[in-house]
Amino acid sequence: MLGRNQDRLTGLLTREGFIEFSRKFTGQDGQAVIWFNLDNFKMFNKRFGFTRGDEILKEIALILDGIFPRDENLLARFSDDNFVVLTNWISAEINIDTVQEYLYSLHEDVTLRLRAGIYFPSDDEDIRSAFDRAKLACDSIRKNHSVSSCMFHNGMSKELSLQQHILDNLDYAFKNELITVLYQPIVRLSTGKVCEAEALTRWNDPELGLISPAEFIPTLEQYREIHKLDIFAMKKVCHDYKTRNDNGLKLLPTSVNLSRLDFELCDIIQEIELAVTLNNIPREMLRIEITESINEEDMTVLNLGIEKLRTMGYQVWMDDFGSGYSSLNVLKDYNFDTIKFDMKFLRGFDVNKSKKAKYIISSNLEMARLMGMQALAEGVETEEQLRYLRSIGFDKVQGYYFGKPMKLDEIFALNIGVEEVHSS
Ligand code: C2E
Ligand code: MG
Ligand code: MG
């Protein structure tokens, strides 16, 4: 067990070693593959340094070694903080908790969560497909902090093939216009007219039909490809704007969604500037939406990015305010021009019953006003919601009540009309 089969840091097997040695395990009854991954290991490294990060990885290897003896089990570190164990199923179920408890007890000063995904392969199953599935189970609880292990089930397999399809076909989808941009009207209540639009992407796949952004965006974020989509959408919006401008048609300020990851994955501001300059778009015609789910770890980069965009003359909007846990902190730490209130505020809203929802919406609106930010309510579907939002002082609203995302030209054909913009 030398060379490429052995992990230098921990002494466990590498991925290659694991695949090779797993052959001698085939045919044994009742096997289980466990995929372990540490939460926020990247952040841990940033905070405490790589030396301490390496120590943790070595400790995990030792713990695994103690609990799953090497003469009966296969132990590997695949990459970074990904550990894989091939064991028998009885041992798997009993021992996962022990591994986790051990690690916690060694590091009570920091929160270290070691997630585990479990898969029971069939007799002649390829080991690669087995550990992919264990990993999928492990990934599936990344955001669910109430559990620390999870068994693979078939629904995950479908998810895996959709993810694979998205990643394999992304470039093809851009080139062949499978990915398009639609626009949803934003209405100013004081004029009753459309004042802006939000650009939203769609993937119309010949094999799978329409794939919703709710499905492909998390995959693109997970595999760090999201900036490609956002640059594509930005270019398309600028191009659509220029086409109308060249034809002497009415124009509409437009907001584009960015992922906070874009600020790490590329020079997103330069990309925006490129698209804007090439198409001769005044900066005040673009708004940048960023969702509130901002991690502590990317605070500095993102904060600098937001400030730079604002100084350059772009409005920056906070999207989905109220949908996560950290809304108020994000408001405290970043400067936004507009806050978009998440549609969850309005879900199931009943003017006579939802007293609490009303208090929450109106006091948050007041807070936005005090901080000098504009407010916009998303997800307005009914006349009743609209009347209430107007009564407490919202001026901008967006939702199916006025129109679903549509082609840009269709917005200008809406009978409520579009505000005039004065732009060069
Ligand atoms: P979002 O930016 O909060 O956009 C609003 C979403 O709510 C859109 O879903 C829109 O179609 C939907 N919506 C609008 N009004 C109503 C309503 O009255 N009722 C209901 N039930 N839904 C309404 P969509 O287009 O599926 O987009 C989902 C999310 O995907 C967006 O949420 C945004 O975060 C993300 N997204 C879309 N396009 C892009 C993109 O190009 N880049 C990035 N980074 N994210 C994008
Ligand atoms: Mg948005
Ligand atoms: Mg939103």
Side-chain angles (χ1 to χ4, degrees):
M1 198 176 69
L2 281 169
R4 67 185 202 116
N5 284 344
Q6 190 176 21
D7 175 38
R8 276 194 198 181
L9 182 73
T10 61
L12 300 186
L13 291 170
T14 56
R15 186 176 185 278
E16 289 76 22
F18 186 86
I19 293 170
E20 192 172 326
F21 284 84
S22 68
R23 292 203 187 102
K24 79 169 183 194
F25 277 73
T26 48
Q28 291 192 10
D29 281 344
Q31 286 188 342
V33 177
I34 315 170
W35 184 289
F36 288 100
N37 179 272
L38 266 182
D39 269 359
N40 298 325
F41 184 58
K42 221 176 100 196
M43 189 152 100
F44 182 93
N45 271 329
K46 270 193 193 162
R47 237 172 111 190
F48 299 107
F50 285 98
T51 315
R52 181 129 185 237
D54 282 355
E55 273 166 22
I56 298 272
L57 298 177
K58 284 193 259 183
E59 261 171 32
I60 295 176
L62 277 176
I63 295 171
L64 291 176
D65 224 355
I67 293 176
F68 298 98
R70 285 198 206 193
D71 50 346
E72 289 165 27
N73 307 281
L74 275 192
L75 310 177
R77 182 173 79 109
F78 273 24
S79 62
D80 308 317
D81 54 337
N82 293 304
F83 291 85
V84 183
V85 174
L86 179 63
T87 183
N88 67 63
W89 64 268
I90 302 174
S91 171
E93 296 215 45
I94 301 170
N95 289 325
I96 284 177
D97 288 347
T98 322
V99 173
Q100 289 159 336
E101 280 159 20
Y102 237 109
L103 188 69
Y104 297 144
S105 67
L106 287 175
H107 296 278
E108 282 169 350
D109 55 329
V110 287
T111 331
L112 277 179
R113 184 172 84 123
L114 188 66
R115 272 175 291 120
I118 313 158
Y119 178 64
F120 302 123
S122 52
D123 282 352
D124 47 3
E125 190 165 347
D126 183 72
I127 191 68
R128 276 168 272 240
S129 105
F131 57 64
D132 274 353
R133 289 169 176 212
K135 175 177 189 301
L136 206 61
C138 181
D139 288 346
S140 74
I141 52 169
R142 193 188 293 270
K143 287 185 181 153
N144 179 357
H145 289 260
S146 58
V147 291
S148 53
S149 63
C150 175
M151 211 89 83
F152 173 86
H153 61 78
N154 275 331
M156 292 175 182
S157 200
K158 257 195 209 152
E159 212 175 285
L160 182 68
S161 60
L162 177 63
Q163 282 198 339
Q164 204 55 54
H165 184 87
I166 290 169
L167 297 169
D168 290 348
N169 292 286
L170 186 64
D171 291 330
Y172 178 84
F174 288 138
K175 272 193 208 112
N176 295 279
E177 293 182 18
L178 304 185
I179 297 181
T180 51
V181 174
L182 294 182
Y183 295 81
Q184 189 177 29
I186 297 171
V187 174
R188 196 192 312 277
L189 293 178
S190 52
T191 62
K193 292 184 177 179
V194 178
C195 58
E196 279 142 330
E198 175 177 11
L200 294 157
T201 42
R202 295 285 176 271
W203 182 321
N204 203 344
D205 193 272
E207 259 177 59
L208 304 177
L210 197 66
I211 315 175
S212 135
E215 285 179 282
F216 61 82
I217 286 165
T219 301
L220 297 181
E221 290 197 328
Q222 188 183 341
Y223 290 87
R224 302 173 78 77
E225 301 266 39
I226 185 70
H227 56 299
K228 294 189 184 166
L229 177 78
D230 292 343
I231 294 168
F232 173 86
M234 180 62 72
K235 284 185 182 160
K236 178 79 174 105
V237 164
C238 291
H239 179 262
D240 286 354
Y241 183 98
K242 182 175 188 297
T243 308
R244 287 191 67 90
N245 200 16
D246 289 349
N247 290 316
L249 296 169
K250 276 184 103 169
L251 300 163
L252 200 53
T254 302
S255 71
V256 181
N257 291 280
L258 288 193
S259 164
R260 64 206 177 281
L261 280 180
D262 295 341
F263 292 85
E264 277 179 41
L265 296 174
C266 65
D267 188 343
I268 191 70
I269 299 185
Q270 195 184 345
E271 297 287 350
I272 296 172
E273 280 289 288
L274 257 173
V276 162
T277 324
L278 197 69
N279 294 286
N280 211 9
I281 317 282
R283 288 172 178 158
E284 70 268 18
M285 294 299 278
L286 278 183
R287 289 95 180 79
I288 309 293
E289 292 191 22
I290 301 173
T291 69
E292 70 147 64
S293 57
I294 299 166
N295 291 331
E296 212 185 303
E297 63 174 307
D298 36 46
M299 227 179 117
T300 326
V301 182
L302 189 60
N303 220 344
L304 287 173
I306 292 177
E307 284 312 313
K308 190 164 172 196
L309 284 166
R310 296 186 71 226
T311 318
M312 292 166 86
Y314 298 101
Q315 286 192 22
V316 183
W317 292 5
M318 179 200 210
D319 202 357
D320 302 335
F321 171 71
S323 63
Y325 299 106
S326 57
S327 312
L328 293 177
N329 278 332
V330 175
L331 272 193
K332 175 170 73 59
D333 296 330
Y334 299 83
N335 294 315
F336 293 97
D337 298 282
T338 293
I339 303 174
K340 294 188 81 170
F341 282 62
D342 194 74
M343 57 188 85
K344 280 195 197 119
F345 277 120
L346 294 180
R347 200 157 289 155
F349 181 83
D350 175 335
V351 128
N352 301 311
K353 292 189 198 141
S354 313
K355 257 195 174 161
K356 281 190 189 163
K358 287 205 287 193
Y359 291 146
I360 294 173
I361 299 173
S362 57
S363 54
N364 277 304
L365 176 66
E366 181 59 18
M367 189 181 62
R369 211 180 275 142
L370 289 171
M371 289 196 283
M373 303 186 196
Q374 289 204 27
L376 187 162
E378 287 191 83
V380 183
E381 291 180 353
T382 65
E383 176 86 48
E384 189 194 18
Q385 292 170 339
L386 183 64
R387 220 177 300 130
Y388 173 69
L389 293 169
R390 193 197 300 267
S391 77
I392 59 170
F394 267 99
D395 193 27
K396 282 193 202 169
V397 288
Q398 177 183 355
Y400 293 172
Y401 181 80
F402 296 102
K404 291 193 170 181
M406 56 187 89
K407 293 199 176 119
L408 185 55
D409 294 347
E410 289 169 350
I411 292 197
F412 292 89
L414 289 172
N415 55 20
I416 52 173
V418 173
E419 287 182 5
E420 291 293 331
V421 283
H422 305 284
S423 161
S424 48

